Amino acid sequence: MDSSCSYAPAKNSLLEARAKAAAGTSPASASSADHALWSAHAAVLRLAGASVPPPATATVAGVAGLRVSPRVVLSPSFKPTIAAAVARVPGGPSVSLTPRSALVLEGDIILRALTLDGALRVLASPGAKVIIDGLRVVNEGWRLRELTPEEESGPPTPEVERLRGYALEVGQERVLRFEQPGVYTVRE
């Protein structure tokens, strides 16, 4: 894995990020940190043999050179270590994500077979173990909507969106929540 998997500061404003990216240096911004996290977590799934497209280089909100990949978030409860996360994906190539996918995994979750084209959030509370073994999810998913110049300039746009240069909009996502202790197998 490259250094962006372990070092992705979010210290620069959007204007500074655009200038740094244009100069060929790391933007070190909220948007580049977001994309680095998603890309690093997608790389962990690839290490496990999952079919996850590699990141592409793109310009987002005027920040060039961002590594754009499926938006994967592996919580510390899913991924206390990289080895633990890889062991939670025994399905290898039976787990596949499209480039536009968003996947959030929190808790004790095993991925044996998953096809994702859209957004999926799986939440397993302490004591719950979830086995995804034959789930197919297709929905609108999440999208990044770049801010207009008026939105970038100030309120009422939230500061985090002004720092990123975009709003992360949840158009549609499937949420699987397991709040009671036990073993759950999801097949559909």
Side-chain angles (χ1 to χ4, degrees):
M1 290 188 173
D2 65 38
S3 63
S4 69
C5 293
S6 61
Y7 181 71
K11 62 180 186 163
N12 292 319
S13 71
L14 182 59
L15 290 177
E16 291 169 319
R18 288 173 177 155
K20 286 185 174 290
T25 62
S26 170
S29 65
S31 58
S32 63
D34 279 350
H35 285 82
L37 174 82
W38 296 329
S39 181
H41 287 187
V44 170
L45 295 181
R46 278 193 299 280
L47 280 175
S51 177
V52 179
T57 303
T59 298
V60 178
V63 179
L66 295 180
R67 293 168 47 94
V68 179
S69 71
R71 295 173 191 103
V72 178
V73 178
L74 306 177
S75 74
S77 60
F78 176 84
K79 181 190 66 72
T81 66
I82 291 175
V86 168
R88 291 181 186 267
V89 189
S94 295
V95 174
S96 67
L97 282 65
T98 63
R100 69 181 199 91
S101 293
L103 177 64
V104 178
L105 300 174
E106 183 177 323
D108 188 358
I109 301 161
I110 303 295
L111 298 179
R112 289 190 182 148
L114 168 67
T115 301
L116 178 59
D117 182 21
L120 172 65
R121 185 181 303 260
V122 184
L123 309 166
S125 296
K129 179 175 187 152
V130 179
I131 301 165
I132 305 294
D133 192 12
L135 178 62
R136 178 177 167 81
V137 176
V138 178
N139 58 35
E140 185 182 321
W142 301 354
R143 76 178 188 102
L144 299 181
R145 182 185 56 78
E146 293 189 18
L147 301 180
T148 65
E150 295 78 25
E151 290 173 313
E152 283 183 17
S153 65
T157 305
E159 183 178 14
V160 70
E161 292 178 4
R162 291 194 317 268
L163 287 169
R164 288 177 173 146
Y166 58 82
L168 182 59
E169 297 180 338
V170 177
Q172 193 178 39
E173 73 177 352
R174 174 108 183 251
V175 178
L176 301 175
R177 185 181 311 269
F178 302 87
E179 297 176 344
Q180 299 300 315
V183 177
Y184 302 88
T185 300
V186 179
R187 290 186 182 104
E188 293 180 8

